């Protein structure tokens, strides 16, 4: 079940805290993170949604609650701010400094945006939840974006579940309506401001910017009557089916952004196309996500902990 999906289970909101950088020790803190309530809740959230979208198309019918509509409106606001903050002329090709102007607006307005989504009786949660929203759009100093920022957005949604704003029957809408809209806005940010990939492994990485849509997207395709993993490298198949499946939407974006043979610029994905079934792809991607994202210190050292996603060890 989604963690904290009823008001009775919602924990009291306390002041959030973070590990001071001077206290970070790579080995001990990675072990502490993997044993923490935050890790358990976060992975439980990812896996719950993974099951919730299994075998379902993006275009299928599902319930859209008021909080879901409010989250989409929040993301639409971020999108509009991109239009209002065009790139500036600068000598360097990547990392357009206009992103910092865009980010400063989010930094200033984040709490206010969060209060439009959560009810008044949960207003005390806004400062803590807003931290994850601000972390989810990239780094304003380096003008980069990566899977750690994506994880912050998933943590933002997980926190909304824990305080009871999002509920069990919102599962499909969380992925298909909210997260998919988030992806659209992030792709627009990446293209508009020519953001650098954060911690990219280049050709040996799965993707320069995202990971979760590959997990949930492969779950969508489990037991599909016609589409097999070998088909996603076929341009015709991608063009005909990308509006139904998140995985294929990701492939389309990669082919638009990169040139040359797919096997060369996206070798890991090319290898995945040889896996016999989508269920094996899905299981492998979950393992890879834990190993390459959640258990990599450069990614997780920036993760924020608080009363909703605490660093304390799991108690049950």
């Amino acid at each position: 079940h989604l963690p904290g999906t009823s008001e009775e289970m919602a924990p009291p909101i306390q002041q959030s805290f973070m590990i001071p950088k001077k206290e970070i020790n790579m080995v001990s803190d990675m072990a502490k993170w993997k044993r923490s309530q935050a890790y358990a809740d976060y992975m439980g959230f990812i896996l719950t949604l993974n099951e919730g979208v299994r075998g379902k198309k993006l275009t299928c019918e599902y319930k859209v609650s008021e909080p879901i509509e409010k989250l989409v409106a929040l993301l639409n606001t971020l999108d509009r701010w991109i239009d209002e903050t065009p790139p500036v002329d600068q000598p360097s090709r990547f990392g357009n400094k206009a992103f910092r102007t865009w980010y400063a607006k989010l930094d200033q307005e984040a709490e206010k945006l969060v209060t439009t989504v959560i009810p008044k009786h949960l207003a005390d949660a806004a400062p803590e939840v807003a931290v994850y929203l601000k972390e989810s759009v990239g780094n304003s100093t380096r003008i980069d974006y990566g899977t750690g920022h994506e994880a912050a957005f998933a943590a933002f949604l997980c926190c909304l579940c824990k305080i009871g704003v999002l509920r069990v029957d919102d599962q499909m809408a969380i992925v298909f309506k909210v997260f998919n809209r988030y992806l659209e806005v992030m792709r627009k940010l990446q293209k508009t401001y020519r953001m650098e990939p954060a911690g990219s492994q280049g050709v040996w990485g799965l993707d320069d910017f995202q990971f979760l849509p590959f997990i949930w997207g492969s779950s969508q395709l489990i037991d599909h009557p016609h589409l097999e993993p070998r088909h996603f490298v076929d341009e015709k198949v991608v063009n005909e089916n990308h509006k139904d499946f998140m995985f294929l939407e990701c492939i389309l974006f990669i082919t638009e952004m990169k040139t040359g043979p797919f096997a060369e610029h996206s070798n890991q994905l090319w290898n995945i196309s040889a896996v016999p079934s989508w269920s094996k792809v899905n299981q492998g991607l979950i393992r890879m996500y834990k190993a390459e994202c959640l258990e990599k210190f450069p990614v997780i050292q920036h993760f924020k902990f608080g009363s909703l996603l605490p660093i304390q060890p799991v108690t049950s």
Side-chain angles (χ1 to χ4, degrees):
H1 67 280
L2 290 171
T5 45
S6 70
E7 286 179 21
E8 305 87 73
M9 295 172 70
I13 305 301
Q14 302 150 8
Q15 184 148 1
S16 73
F17 66 95
M18 297 147 207
I19 303 174
K21 286 205 169 178
K22 64 182 180 183
E23 293 178 19
I24 286 177
N25 175 284
M26 192 182 300
V27 177
S28 67
D29 280 335
M30 284 306 293
K32 188 186 286 187
W33 155 240
K34 283 157 66 176
R35 288 196 305 267
S36 71
Q37 190 66 52
Y39 184 91
D41 286 349
Y42 180 84
M43 270 317 297
F45 179 70
I46 299 302
L47 295 175
T48 299
L49 295 179
N50 189 59
E51 282 304 305
V53 299
R54 184 179 174 128
K56 306 283 197 317
K57 291 182 178 182
L58 284 168
T59 49
C60 73
E61 288 189 13
Y62 50 85
K63 178 199 166 211
V64 178
S65 64
E66 190 180 346
I68 294 289
E69 293 283 16
K70 288 177 177 177
L71 280 165
V72 172
L74 183 157
L75 291 165
N76 289 344
T77 299
L78 301 188
D79 191 318
R80 190 183 76 249
W81 290 350
I82 300 173
D83 296 332
E84 294 169 0
T85 317
V88 295
D89 288 331
Q90 60 179 47
S92 58
R93 184 178 167 204
F94 290 97
N96 194 281
K97 290 174 183 174
F99 174 72
R100 291 177 182 152
T101 306
W102 180 91
Y103 184 85
K105 193 167 179 79
L106 173 62
D107 192 38
Q108 189 179 347
E109 301 287 332
E111 277 188 42
K112 197 184 294 182
L113 288 172
V114 169
T115 58
T116 66
V117 176
I118 61 178
K120 284 182 180 174
H121 71 278
L122 293 171
D124 288 348
E128 186 169 332
V129 176
V131 168
Y132 295 103
L133 179 63
K134 288 190 281 188
E135 290 282 316
S136 73
V137 297
N139 183 280
S140 63
T141 304
R142 298 186 303 271
I143 314 180
D144 66 4
Y145 175 95
T147 50
H149 302 111
E150 178 190 69
F153 190 75
F156 166 69
L157 296 173
C158 182
C159 286
L160 292 176
C161 286
K162 291 199 76 170
I163 62 176
V165 173
L166 297 173
R167 300 181 178 273
V168 174
D169 57 0
D170 287 318
Q171 282 179 51
M172 286 174 65
I174 289 171
V175 179
F176 292 170
K177 194 91 172 163
V178 178
F179 193 82
N180 206 44
R181 183 71 184 110
Y182 165 75
L183 282 178
E184 290 171 356
V185 177
M186 293 307 103
R187 286 169 182 152
K188 188 170 175 178
L189 274 180
Q190 290 152 21
K191 285 196 285 189
T192 303
Y193 303 120
R194 301 301 301 270
M195 298 178 79
E196 297 270 17
S200 171
Q201 295 169 295
V203 72
W204 304 112
L206 184 71
D207 179 76
D208 281 344
F209 297 110
Q210 315 295 160
F211 203 116
L212 290 175
F214 291 96
I215 294 177
W216 294 330
S218 60
S219 181
Q220 284 184 273
L221 285 155
I222 290 173
D223 298 328
H224 192 281
H226 313 300
L227 296 178
E228 298 172 20
R230 63 189 173 91
H231 290 132
F232 78 74
V233 291
D234 184 325
E235 190 179 338
K236 184 171 180 285
V237 171
V238 171
N239 287 334
E240 288 175 356
N241 297 279
H242 70 92
K243 289 181 179 174
D244 284 328
F245 300 105
M246 199 175 267
F247 194 103
L248 302 183
E249 193 74 59
C250 289
I251 301 298
L252 182 68
F253 184 68
I254 289 170
T255 55
E256 285 174 356
M257 298 297 285
K258 297 190 175 185
T259 56
F262 192 88
E264 290 181 14
H265 64 61
S266 300
N267 189 259
Q268 283 279 34
L269 283 167
W270 178 262
N271 292 337
I272 286 170
S273 71
V275 176
S277 71
W278 284 111
S279 59
K280 286 193 182 299
V281 170
N282 186 245
Q283 291 161 16
L285 287 174
I286 291 166
R287 286 195 299 272
M288 187 178 175
Y289 185 61
K290 288 178 180 177
E292 299 301 324
C293 296
L294 299 188
E295 294 173 14
K296 282 284 187 286
F297 186 74
V299 176
I300 289 307
Q301 67 175 323
H302 303 293
F303 198 92
K304 302 293 190 288
F305 303 97
S307 63
L308 296 172
L309 291 172
I311 190 69
Q312 279 86 359
V314 172
T315 52
S316 59

